Amino acid sequence: MQRLKLTPNRLRFLIVVLLMVGIFFRFFNIDGKVYWHDETFTSLRISGYTANEVRQQIFNGRIITKESFAKFQSPNMEKGLIDTIMSLETEDPQHPPLYYIIARFWVGIFGNSVTAIRSLSAFISLLIFPSIYWLCRELFKASVWVSEVAMPAAGVAIALMAISPIHLVYAQEAREYILWIVTILLSSASLLRALRLESKDKAPRILNWGIYAVTLALSLYTFLLSGLVAFAHAIYVIAIARFRLNRTVKAYLFASLTGFFAFTPWILVVIDNFLQFDSSTAWTKMQFPLEILIKSWLLQLNRIFLDLNFGFENPISYIITPFFLTLIGYSIYFICRTTNYKIWLFVLTLIIIPALPLVLPDLIFGGIRSLSERYLLPSYLGIQLAVAYLLTTQLYNESLVQRKFWQIIIVLVIICGLVSYGVSSQAETWWSKVISYGNPQAAKIINQAARPLLISNDSGINYGNIFSLSYLLQPKVQFQLVKDQSIPNIPDEFTDIFFLNPSDSWRKQIEANYKYKSNVVYGDNHYLLWKVENLNSLH
């Protein structure tokens, strides 16, 4: 590789501008999108109540207003921090408690508004920038002959993540995934630092490996799939030691076991509540054709760089996918070809190892499952490291033609990110809202009625979507919520009655009891909103 020049001032300026743009959009219109199903569960955990307690108190057939939901969406005098942790243990052990503990203190200080709770994720996302800077410096110090790329590559990586649409999605969502990204970066950087300093006899080995153990434990307490990242680290350390149990490998094993030992209390929680754990992750076992899953994975790769909230039904997807797939593939090839094994092996293990256990069993044994894009966040980070390295080195290519070509590519990547941010900032819903994607449209229909009543039960996704809708519906809207398929006692005082996602049998029972006739007024892939027709004449 030719000797790299110092980073030009204009490149530094561009990086700073993109960083400022990225920070701005993380906070801009942060409450604009629907507060969706999963986010309402974050607020439920913060409140310290369990879903069963909510079902007992408001899914009882009584007429209630939207104010009745507030008690279960914010901290209160009845429940404390221990109740928050206990609610996770008993109902949602797949989510370790670190983020929820932080969120409870945050909401206690800044309030429980959508802006306040999502601002926590936005502020946490700012830690990505120093974390990726540290990781790049450590990674590219692994080889002296490529170390001169460390600083400019770190800057380019910061810029890429500042305008990456996938990062914006989780920086504006009240969930733990942006914190997970930060802990992955920190644990990876601390691992590389400990490995680099192993050769220095005077280096404080206990401190170096202790930092890794702490960051690994924090990552595990953020999200369970950090175990796959730890496995990628293990593969990397053992491989660069050439599969020998040397001094470095022993230190690594001790540090990683220390991190897992610190996580033992929650491992015991998962084991003790395994049936609930299996139930809360049942949606991942939904079967989809392989063709649909492959399209989904390709879309997710696109969203690292461009996200305009459309799927493969939009013909633009077929145009942009080959471009980004080629960029990613060549970036991986380039880093493998031009760096020594300590660099490219780390990137490859971070991309492949966390993703492989999630997709390989189904590809081999059949039965392709639903795989959420958030589970692949470690792989996306590895891809962004490879792309950042490629773009940085090509900025200094000795060939003028190639340098100009890659400058065009960089401009296109920047434009894609900025356009994505501009479109996303104005939207009221997004693909990431999944089962609550249609709630804004449903809320508009309900809000148009004079004295509306919304009827639903606690089956399936109804529970979370009712809470999500409560953030969008006007105070005049009242609710009648029941358990299972109980027939509600519907008063005569309402001008419009709506059913949210009723089963056919339950809806027909209600229609038969009250001599109603209802029609679908809104529907998407996840639920239907029904409205009683000609209510006055039916009465």
Side-chain angles (χ1 to χ4, degrees):
M1 178 184 295
Q2 70 276 6
R3 186 175 178 81
L4 291 175
K5 302 176 183 178
L6 292 175
T7 307
N9 288 334
R10 56 185 177 180
L11 177 58
R12 292 196 191 100
F13 177 75
L14 177 62
I15 291 170
V16 170
V17 169
L18 294 178
L19 177 60
M20 293 299 102
V21 170
I23 292 174
F24 170 78
F25 275 106
R26 277 160 170 77
F27 293 92
F28 178 72
N29 202 23
I30 197 169
D31 62 342
K33 294 184 181 64
V34 55
Y35 196 70
W36 77 291
H37 177 283
D38 284 16
E39 290 180 297
T40 68
F41 271 90
T42 294
S43 294
L44 176 66
R45 301 308 169 201
I46 291 172
S47 75
Y49 284 96
T50 63
N52 283 333
E53 289 175 312
V54 174
R55 289 185 175 95
Q56 291 173 6
Q57 295 191 36
I58 65 175
F59 283 80
N60 51 23
R62 297 176 184 171
I63 305 297
I64 60 174
T65 63
K66 63 180 294 182
E67 285 74 21
S68 301
F69 297 93
K71 173 182 177 181
F72 308 104
Q73 294 286 282
S74 62
N76 55 82
M77 298 300 293
E78 297 179 10
K79 301 286 186 175
L81 180 61
I82 298 300
D83 296 293
T84 292
I85 298 172
M86 290 298 296
S87 71
L88 289 165
E89 288 185 11
T90 57
E91 290 191 340
D92 219 358
Q94 66 160 320
H95 295 288
L98 180 59
Y99 168 80
Y100 299 90
I101 293 172
I102 297 172
R104 184 177 174 92
F105 283 111
W106 181 274
V107 170
I109 297 171
F110 298 102
N112 68 322
S113 67
V114 173
T115 299
I117 183 60
R118 283 180 173 169
S119 292
L120 173 60
S121 294
F123 276 106
I124 290 174
S125 74
L126 303 185
L127 297 177
I128 288 176
F129 305 128
S131 300
I132 191 63
Y133 180 83
W134 182 24
L135 176 57
C136 286
R137 293 300 300 273
E138 294 294 342
L139 178 62
F140 297 115
K141 282 181 181 177
S143 175
V144 175
W145 60 279
V146 79
S147 61
E148 293 183 37
V149 79
M151 184 174 292
V156 172
I158 288 173
L160 284 177
M161 293 193 177
I163 60 169
S164 173
I166 200 72
H167 286 268
L168 180 65
V169 165
Y170 295 107
Q172 291 194 331
E173 186 166 293
R175 300 293 278 169
E176 68 264 36
Y177 303 109
I178 202 71
L179 179 61
W180 188 37
I181 292 175
V182 172
T183 60
I184 292 170
L185 294 174
L186 289 176
S187 62
S188 298
S190 61
L191 171 67
L192 294 178
R193 178 180 181 274
L195 292 172
R196 176 173 58 85
L197 296 177
E198 266 294 289
S199 60
K200 298 182 180 181
D201 295 334
K202 295 183 179 180
R205 297 182 73 231
I206 294 179
L207 175 63
N208 297 333
W209 287 107
I211 293 172
Y212 175 68
V214 170
T215 55
L216 176 59
L218 290 175
S219 191
L220 289 167
Y221 271 108
T222 301
F223 197 53
L224 288 180
L225 289 186
S226 296
L228 294 178
V229 179
F231 185 56
H233 290 169
I235 297 281
Y236 175 72
V237 172
I238 293 171
I240 63 173
R242 303 188 186 282
F243 301 94
R244 293 175 297 181
L245 190 62
N246 58 19
R247 178 173 178 260
T248 300
V249 173
K250 290 178 180 177
Y252 163 75
L253 290 175
F254 180 77
S256 60
L257 288 174
T258 301
F260 275 96
F261 180 77
F263 188 58
T264 300
W266 201 259
I267 295 176
L268 296 176
V269 166
V270 173
I271 294 173
D272 189 48
N273 297 276
F274 183 76
L275 291 178
Q276 181 59 36
F277 172 84
D278 188 59
S279 174
S280 61
T281 57
W283 65 272
T284 64
K285 300 180 180 66
M286 295 172 60
Q287 304 293 309
F288 290 92
L290 179 59
E291 178 186 359
I292 293 178
L293 265 295
I294 290 176
K295 287 182 176 181
S296 174
W297 295 335
L298 292 176
L299 269 181
Q300 291 168 24
L301 291 178
N302 290 344
R303 288 166 180 161
I304 300 175
F305 307 100
L306 177 66
D307 183 8
L308 300 179
N309 195 35
F310 51 66
F312 266 90
E313 69 279 358
N314 192 311
I316 296 178
S317 296
Y318 294 94
I319 300 174
I320 63 174
T321 296
F323 171 76
F324 289 118
L325 202 58
T326 302
L327 176 63
I328 292 169
Y330 184 69
S331 298
I332 295 172
Y333 165 78
F334 184 82
I335 200 170
C336 291
R337 182 184 176 188
T338 60
T339 64
N340 76 6
Y341 72 99
K342 288 186 177 181
I343 296 175
W344 62 257
L345 183 60
F346 179 85
V347 173
L348 279 188
T349 53
L350 187 59
I351 294 174
I352 296 173
I353 300 302
L356 205 57
L358 299 175
V359 300
L360 190 59
D362 290 323
L363 292 176
I364 294 176
F365 300 110
I368 308 302
R369 297 180 299 177
S370 170
L371 183 63
S372 174
E373 78 294 327
R374 56 184 177 263
Y375 295 166
L376 298 175
L377 286 173
S379 301
Y380 300 159
L381 294 176
I383 289 171
Q384 288 176 307
L385 285 171
V387 173
Y389 177 79
L390 169 67
L391 298 182
T392 303
T393 54
Q394 295 308 311
L395 282 173
Y396 299 91
N397 197 303
E398 291 181 345
S399 168
L400 177 62
V401 174
Q402 291 191 39
R403 194 163 63 244
K404 292 295 183 183
F405 171 79
W406 284 105
Q407 287 174 354
I408 294 173
I409 298 298
I410 291 172
V411 169
L412 289 176
V413 169
I414 292 172
I415 291 173
C416 287
L418 295 180
V419 170
S420 300
Y421 276 31
V423 173
S424 176
S425 67
Q426 303 301 317
E428 61 181 1
T429 190
W430 209 247
W431 60 265
S432 58
K433 306 308 177 185
V434 200
I435 54 180
S436 300
Y437 185 90
N439 282 4
Q441 183 61 34
K444 288 177 183 177
I445 295 172
I446 298 171
N447 285 333
Q448 289 173 356
R451 293 193 307 278
L453 175 68
L454 180 61
I455 298 174
S456 190
N457 62 9
D458 59 353
S459 301
I461 65 173
N462 294 352
Y463 174 95
N465 266 343
I466 285 289
F467 272 84
S468 174
L469 280 169
S470 72
Y471 285 85
L472 301 172
L473 294 174
Q474 297 174 6
K476 66 181 179 181
V477 180
Q478 299 193 55
F479 303 79
Q480 190 171 31
L481 310 176
V482 300
K483 294 180 183 178
D484 301 322
Q485 298 194 23
S486 303
I487 304 299
N489 183 18
I490 305 174
D492 295 333
E493 61 194 76
F494 297 98
T495 60
D496 298 270
I497 295 177
F498 298 89
F499 302 130
L500 178 67
N501 205 31
S503 66
D504 285 339
S505 60
W506 185 49
R507 177 179 54 82
K508 289 177 181 178
Q509 282 182 320
I510 297 175
E511 289 179 345
N513 273 26
Y514 289 93
K515 296 181 172 55
Y516 286 166
K517 180 183 179 182
S518 58
N519 287 324
V520 174
V521 290
Y522 175 78
D524 59 23
N525 293 330
H526 302 289
Y527 71 83
L528 298 174
L529 180 68
W530 297 73
K531 181 181 179 181
V532 173
E533 277 197 345
N534 301 320
L535 185 61
N536 293 329
S537 61
L538 287 172
H539 282 313

